Amino acid sequence: MLRLALLLLLVLAALPARAQSPIYHCIAADGHPVFTDQPCAALQATPAPASSAAAEAPSLRPPAVTCAADVDQLRGAVIDAFANADANRLAGLMLWGGYGEHAVVSDIGALAALMRRPLVGIDLPPDGSGSELVVSTVPDEGSTESGETRFAIEPRAGCLWLRQE
C-alpha cells in the first residue's frame, strides 16, 4: 500500500511539468495581439516581434553618482543630469529637508524647465570656496532672466548636496 501511495505521488508530481506548454505571442490578421498555446502559423497569425526592451543592450554608462565626495564629482553629476535631460537625476543631488510638499513640487517643475534649456556651463565661484554652483543655460526666448541658476553646496553625511538659493 505504501509503495502504491509513493508511486501515485510521483506520477502526480510529474503531471504539472508535463501539462505546461509554451505560450506563443502572435499578431492576428486584424493586428490585435494573441496569446495562445498553439504556434502562430496554426492560427494564420504572425509571431510578434521581440520586445524592444529585451533587445536593447544594457547600458555601459557607469551608475549615476548619488553621493558626491567632492565639488568636481558633484559638478560632473550635474553635467550628467543635463546630458540625459533628467530632472529627477538633478533632484536626486539636492537636499529637500525643510521643504513643504507644494514647494518641492514647484521646485521639481522648475528643474524640469531648467533641463529643457541647453546647458552653457557650470561654474564655481571664482574665490574657490566651493560654496555654490552656478548653472548657466540659454535663457528662454523673450525672457528677461540671465539664464543663471544658483545652487548652494552643502556638506551633509559625508556628501555634497545642492540646495536651490
Side-chain angles (χ1 to χ4, degrees):
M1 181 73 168
L2 183 59
R3 286 185 185 182
L4 183 60
L6 286 175
L7 182 61
L8 185 58
L9 280 175
L10 284 174
V11 170
L12 289 175
L15 282 179
R18 263 189 88 217
Q20 293 179 355
S21 60
I23 302 295
Y24 297 94
H25 181 193
C26 311
I27 304 295
D30 63 0
H32 287 89
V34 176
F35 294 91
T36 179
D37 61 347
Q38 300 174 25
C40 297
L43 301 173
Q44 298 178 344
T46 57
S51 159
S52 63
E56 290 178 9
S59 174
L60 298 177
R61 289 186 328 165
V65 172
T66 55
C67 174
D70 57 39
V71 174
D72 289 331
Q73 203 174 34
L74 182 62
R75 184 177 180 273
V78 172
I79 290 170
D80 182 56
F82 268 90
N84 292 292
D86 190 350
N88 288 325
R89 175 72 196 98
L90 185 59
L93 298 170
M94 297 182 63
L95 283 176
W96 292 101
Y99 280 75
E101 179 182 344
H102 296 292
V104 169
V105 170
S106 173
D107 283 355
I108 290 177
L111 292 178
L114 181 65
M115 289 300 189
R116 287 191 289 271
R117 299 192 315 234
L119 180 66
V120 174
I122 298 177
D123 299 307
L124 297 168
D127 64 6
S129 66
S131 61
E132 73 175 354
L133 200 70
V134 180
V135 176
S136 300
T137 57
V138 175
D140 290 329
E141 201 169 311
S143 173
T144 59
E145 294 179 12
S146 68
E148 285 188 354
T149 304
R150 296 180 178 276
F151 295 95
I153 298 175
E154 294 188 25
R156 176 96 38 104
C159 300
L160 294 179
W161 302 95
L162 299 175
R163 185 177 293 276
Q164 279 194 311
E165 294 183 336

